[in-house]
Amino acid sequence: MTAQYPQLAAALLGVWVLYSLVKSVVSKIQDRRKAQALGCLPPHDVRNPWFGIPAYLDVVESARQFKPIDYAMRLHARGGNTLQQTVLGTQLITTFEPENVKAVLATQFNDFALGTRNKVFGPLLGDGIFTLDGSGWSHSRAMLRPQFVREQIADLSMLGEHVNNLFDAIPGDGRPFDIQDLFYRLTLDTATEFLFGESTFCLAPGKAAGSGPLARSGGEKGFAYAFNRCQDDILKRIRAQKLYWLVNPREFREAVKTVHEVVEYYVDKALAKRNTSEEEKNIDSPSSRYVFLEAVASETQDRKTLRDQMLNILLAGRDTTASLLTSSFFYLARNPDIWDRLRSEILEAFPASENDDQITIGRLREVKYLRYFMNEVLRLIPPVPFNHRFATKDTTIPVGGGPDGKSPVFVKKGMKVSYIVGVMHRRKDIWGEDAEQFRPERWYEKNKYGWEFLPFNGGPRICLGQQYALTEASYVLVRLLRKIERVENAQPEIVDPLLKLQLTVGHAHGVKVRLHNSKLV
């Protein structure tokens, strides 16, 4: 009897394989009929053999060479504006088409969701606004959105002290330094003060509380390492597609623990303050400063909810703005004519005789060339160049099917749709033959834009902190260009940006510059 077990097991395996093949064929026939009924045609199929393992290795290699957008550009050249491919056994649609992005993010919003993001990002970000779908997301947005439309967002006085600390950290003798490192410290300082009411003072550690959370996590560098390590591993989880759960090393878990402890320090402090008497809080004092976490704590006192939401916002507040500022100096250091023009227009709007406290949001918005300059930075190096959604039901996207790419495309329930704005922002048929050239002047010709320019996402999930990030970046650039007379590129060997892709992009080797102070300011 026992001798028959191997034969029985082999027979059962054969039946299962046959069943799977028949099920797959039947499913494909049904999908084809649904697509025909909806007038859909398939997009260009980029043949990826061996379950898409070579395609996955190409993605990994492009990341190793710090050229993720270059890889996506090659994919676009190979498959057109919308294509179908297989990566690690996962079939997905990749699109660089504004109309399709608009459908996924806005007009067909309910047809698409984040899918596995909550599980992939969950160890770090938990149940926050960037990881939740459905009612959980709606509740998060309703809780957080009022905090981003308050007048406190326009409070530039909070930024002033931190920019002063930035100037103190810049070498005064013109020697080269990595300005990216300073920008990431600056945005951590400003984000923690805005969110938690207590800055980490990474740029001025002498001002930080000696018993604060960073002191217990190895200082600012210890926290920064843990934060970046978390993002590195989450990116590996994203690339692993459905096999994300295999990426969970001990170092990742320890880094998550460190980051959580830092944020929980602030959460516990806010909850303790909330539990004090009204007299002790003195909440009606006109001098008391707005604190984002305390405002959200009035909506919920759940410790994990507060930690997760604050961590979601901290990630965006620190990394997105730092990425924009760093990329700004990457281009300024390589384009002295643009530096001169931008500085000239800034000094015209904010004369050297004025104090820094006279810089306001309204006046910042009047400097058109500053706005166009930042648009051009965000066009060529968007902080989040890659994104995706999953179909919640059998649905379609408007274009990309058929030989001419003009027919709708059928999207099966559960299928992943990847949209890459890093390529969409470089399409020559949209932006002209000089699409890959850094030229802020193009925005005088194109001062209105739609879904072809999407640095902060769009639709109902558009970035809540968009105006906060743009305001902070504008203020920092104005302060720097008023003070600094000239910038030199200290990395002449790096002509094109080498980008390290995490949840946002950074420059793999930093942005090394020499800055020369103006004697006039």
Side-chain angles (χ1 to χ4, degrees):
M1 184 70 180
T2 51
Q4 296 177 349
Y5 286 159
Q7 290 91 336
L8 180 61
L12 289 173
L13 178 61
V15 170
W16 179 81
V17 170
L18 180 62
Y19 169 77
S20 298
L21 288 172
V22 171
K23 183 180 178 183
S24 175
V25 170
V26 171
S27 179
K28 286 181 180 179
I29 292 172
Q30 291 174 338
D31 290 344
R32 193 176 299 119
R33 288 175 178 170
K34 290 176 185 176
Q36 288 173 347
L38 293 168
C40 296
L41 291 174
H44 180 80
D45 192 345
V46 176
R47 298 292 176 181
N48 289 332
W50 299 101
F51 302 101
I53 293 174
Y56 167 76
L57 295 176
D58 283 347
V59 171
V60 172
E61 178 60 19
S62 70
R64 190 187 69 80
Q65 295 180 6
F66 306 119
K67 295 183 177 181
I69 294 180
D70 289 19
Y71 163 80
M73 292 290 288
R74 292 195 302 273
L75 186 64
H76 175 246
R78 185 178 164 201
N81 293 334
T82 301
L83 56 96
Q84 185 172 289
Q85 61 174 327
T86 301
V87 180
L88 282 189
T90 298
Q91 191 178 49
L92 63 145
I93 292 171
T94 300
T95 188
F96 317 99
E97 181 59 61
E99 281 302 305
N100 288 339
V101 178
K102 178 182 178 181
V104 169
L105 298 183
T107 56
Q108 295 170 228
F109 178 76
N110 292 326
D111 292 359
F112 297 91
L114 302 181
T116 58
R117 186 191 288 185
N118 185 261
K119 294 178 180 177
V120 176
F121 289 33
L124 174 65
L125 297 184
D127 298 321
I129 191 169
F130 296 142
T131 62
L132 291 173
D133 274 319
S135 59
W137 167 76
S138 298
H139 177 71
S140 294
R141 193 170 180 90
M143 180 170 58
L144 297 176
R145 189 176 182 276
Q147 317 311 327
F148 280 102
V149 297
R150 290 171 175 263
E151 62 181 15
Q152 284 86 353
I153 296 296
D155 181 12
L156 297 179
S157 63
M158 184 199 74
L159 299 176
E161 178 184 8
H162 298 296
V163 176
N164 291 339
N165 294 335
L166 173 66
F167 280 123
D168 291 340
I170 292 173
D173 55 3
R175 56 191 163 88
F177 70 99
D178 180 11
I179 201 166
Q180 175 172 255
D181 174 61
L182 297 189
F183 282 145
Y184 273 84
R185 290 200 232 167
L186 169 71
T187 54
L188 184 59
D189 284 351
T190 58
T192 50
E193 178 158 356
F194 172 68
L195 292 175
F196 308 135
E198 179 183 314
S199 175
T200 46
F201 284 114
C202 298
L203 283 171
K207 297 181 180 180
S211 60
L214 291 189
R216 299 197 299 270
S217 64
E220 181 271 331
K221 289 188 177 179
F223 175 75
Y225 170 80
F227 208 53
N228 292 335
R229 173 64 200 242
C230 290
Q231 293 189 54
D232 286 341
D233 283 320
I234 284 180
L235 187 63
K236 291 175 184 175
R237 288 164 69 90
I238 294 170
R239 290 192 190 120
Q241 306 294 336
K242 294 177 182 178
L243 302 177
Y244 67 87
W245 49 272
L246 290 173
V247 182
N248 191 33
R250 179 176 58 83
E251 293 83 357
F252 172 56
R253 298 193 300 271
E254 289 177 350
V256 167
K257 184 173 182 288
T258 296
V259 172
H260 282 183
E261 285 175 351
V262 170
V263 178
E264 285 166 356
Y265 162 88
Y266 292 112
V267 169
D268 290 341
K269 193 172 181 179
L271 290 176
K273 182 175 180 179
R274 178 170 176 77
N275 291 331
T276 60
S277 67
E278 294 297 308
E279 291 78 10
E280 289 178 282
K281 284 188 286 187
N282 197 22
I283 58 174
D284 294 325
S285 170
S287 62
S288 54
R289 170 162 277 176
Y290 169 80
V291 177
F292 191 99
L293 173 57
E294 292 175 7
V296 179
S298 67
E299 300 291 328
T300 178
Q301 288 78 56
D302 183 82
R303 188 171 183 261
K304 183 180 182 299
T305 297
L306 289 171
R307 183 199 72 189
D308 292 351
Q309 298 292 7
M310 291 306 102
L311 191 49
N312 278 243
I313 301 299
L314 176 62
L315 175 71
R318 171 191 179 244
D319 290 28
T320 304
T321 310
S323 175
L324 170 55
L325 285 168
T326 303
S327 296
S328 294
F329 266 79
F330 176 87
Y331 286 114
L332 286 171
R334 287 158 179 78
N335 294 277
D337 54 332
I338 293 175
W339 171 277
D340 290 341
R341 176 169 182 179
L342 182 58
R343 185 166 190 267
S344 174
E345 298 209 10
I346 285 173
L347 286 174
E348 183 178 345
F350 302 98
S353 57
E354 285 188 356
N355 293 326
D356 294 324
D357 57 13
Q358 292 181 268
I359 300 173
T360 64
I361 287 184
R363 295 181 67 193
L364 285 172
R365 289 173 178 161
E366 292 173 2
V367 187
K368 282 188 178 181
Y369 194 70
L370 174 62
R371 186 166 76 249
Y372 295 162
F373 167 79
M374 289 197 300
N375 280 355
E376 190 72 345
V377 174
L378 291 167
R379 184 181 72 84
L380 286 176
I381 310 182
V384 184
F386 300 83
N387 218 321
H388 61 264
R389 295 289 188 270
F390 290 85
T392 58
K393 62 180 182 179
D394 290 346
T395 185
T396 65
I397 52 177
V399 293
D404 60 1
K406 294 182 179 179
S407 298
V409 174
F410 178 70
V411 184
K412 183 180 175 63
K413 180 180 178 179
M415 179 173 275
K416 182 178 181 178
V417 177
S418 172
Y419 58 98
I420 305 178
V421 299
V423 172
M424 193 169 72
H425 287 180
R426 295 167 181 244
R427 278 180 49 178
K428 292 183 179 180
D429 58 327
I430 295 175
W431 301 94
E433 287 301 312
D434 65 347
E436 294 192 57
Q437 177 186 340
F438 186 81
R439 188 172 67 85
E441 288 75 15
R442 78 175 71 249
W443 292 92
Y444 285 104
E445 308 149 16
K446 186 182 177 63
N447 54 22
K448 291 187 181 296
Y449 45 83
W451 288 86
E452 73 277 7
F453 180 62
L454 215 65
F456 293 100
N457 235 337
R461 295 192 79 122
I462 192 170
C463 176
L464 280 175
Q466 175 178 349
Q467 291 308 315
Y468 177 81
L470 291 174
T471 297
E472 180 175 4
S474 298
Y475 178 81
V476 173
L477 286 171
V478 165
R479 288 284 309 274
L480 283 169
L481 270 75
R482 289 185 80 209
K483 181 81 172 178
I484 307 300
E485 187 176 62
R486 188 165 53 90
V487 60
E488 282 184 60
N489 176 18
Q491 293 169 304
E493 71 282 4
I494 299 178
V495 178
D496 297 315
L498 298 175
L499 302 176
K500 181 178 181 180
L501 188 62
Q502 294 180 310
L503 299 185
T504 58
V505 295
H507 291 255
H509 303 300
V511 171
K512 295 183 176 64
V513 295
R514 296 181 182 87
L515 299 182
H516 302 275
N517 291 340
S518 169
K519 297 177 182 178
L520 301 176
V521 181

